[in-house]
Amino acid sequence: QVQLQQSGAELAKPGSSVKISCKASGYTFTSYDISWIKQTTGQGLEYIGYINTGSGGTYYNEKFKGKATLTVDKSSSTAFMQLSSLTPEDTAVYYCARSVYWGQGTLVTVSS
Amino acid sequence: DVVMTQTPVSLSLAIGQPASISCKSSQSLLGTSGKTFLNWILQRPGQSPKRLIYQVSKLYSEVPDRFSGSGSETEFTLKISRVEAEDLGVYYCWQGTHFPLTFGSGTKLEIK
């Protein structure tokens, strides 16, 4: 069955970067885009963007341009999202998703 | 961006009662393909969201038929004919017709 296994929680300092991973299994990795979604208590669910896992092409929600960078490693069927110049407003649970299948989420906490 | 407005914010229902959740979009979700990409997901406490309904009214195979979806253009409804204990959680509508994808703010279903 389709599974998306995300990396563990991250505690990061303001101004630093983190890179979250999303390892896919149970299907042909390069046949589906991987999307990333941010969830916070205050802002709810926000769509960050997606990556075409075959070509590496990306689409970013304007709000997250410059904040998120999406990449893939086809050899390991893994998608990555790097978040840069972190601020407390980036504290959230981040999900990867393949159409209607969601990963378990990765909590990123930004605190000094 | 398309704004998705969900009501009510919360519902407290006894098992066996019907439930109805409204979702309104700021723009028509009818796409150029003739399809309407309005979807519903359920996030149970401590879990990632799970798929429920796609393209307004189509249930995924694992979803019980006590769930139904309806609507068109900008107004949509999710109904549960008889609430069961496992239905508790937060229901979100989301649209995939226009980029960026956007989500409603959620409706929390509590069981009395």
Side-chain angles (χ1 to χ4, degrees), chain B residues 28-45:
Chain B
S28 172
L29 299 185
L30 178 61
T32 54
S33 63
K35 295 180 180 180
T36 301
F37 296 100
L38 183 284
N39 313 285
W40 293 92
I41 54 178
L42 166 61
Q43 187 171 31
R44 295 188 175 96

Side-chain angles (χ1 to χ4, degrees), chain B residues 53-101:
Chain B
I53 289 173
Y54 66 104
Q55 290 180 32
V56 181
S57 60
K58 300 177 182 179
L59 270 62
Y60 287 98
S61 57
E62 69 275 14
V63 177
D65 61 8
R66 62 179 181 277
F67 287 89
S68 64
S70 62
S72 63
E73 301 278 358
T74 62
E75 298 194 9
F76 306 92
T77 303
L78 172 70
K79 292 187 176 181
I80 310 174
S81 59
R82 298 173 308 281
V83 166
E84 296 192 7
E86 65 181 17
D87 299 338
L88 86 164
V90 182
Y91 291 80
Y92 295 94
C93 60
W94 66 274
Q95 66 82 22
T97 301
H98 306 282
F99 274 94
L101 311 187

Side-chain angles (χ1 to χ4, degrees), chain A residues 35 37 39 44-47 50 59 61-62 95 99-105, chain B residues 1 41 43 47-51 54 60 92 94 99-105:
Chain A
S35 293
I37 299 102
Q39 185 172 35
L45 293 162
E46 296 179 280
Y47 188 74
Y50 74 84
Y59 162 86
N61 182 343
E62 197 68 31
Y95 292 99
S99 60
V100 294
Y101 298 98
W102 294 58
Q104 84 275 25
Chain B
D1 297 0
I41 54 178
Q43 187 171 31
Q47 296 186 17
S48 56
K50 299 291 192 293
R51 64 187 193 177
Y54 66 104
Y60 287 98
Y92 295 94
W94 66 274
F99 274 94
L101 311 187
T102 50
F103 298 84
S105 52

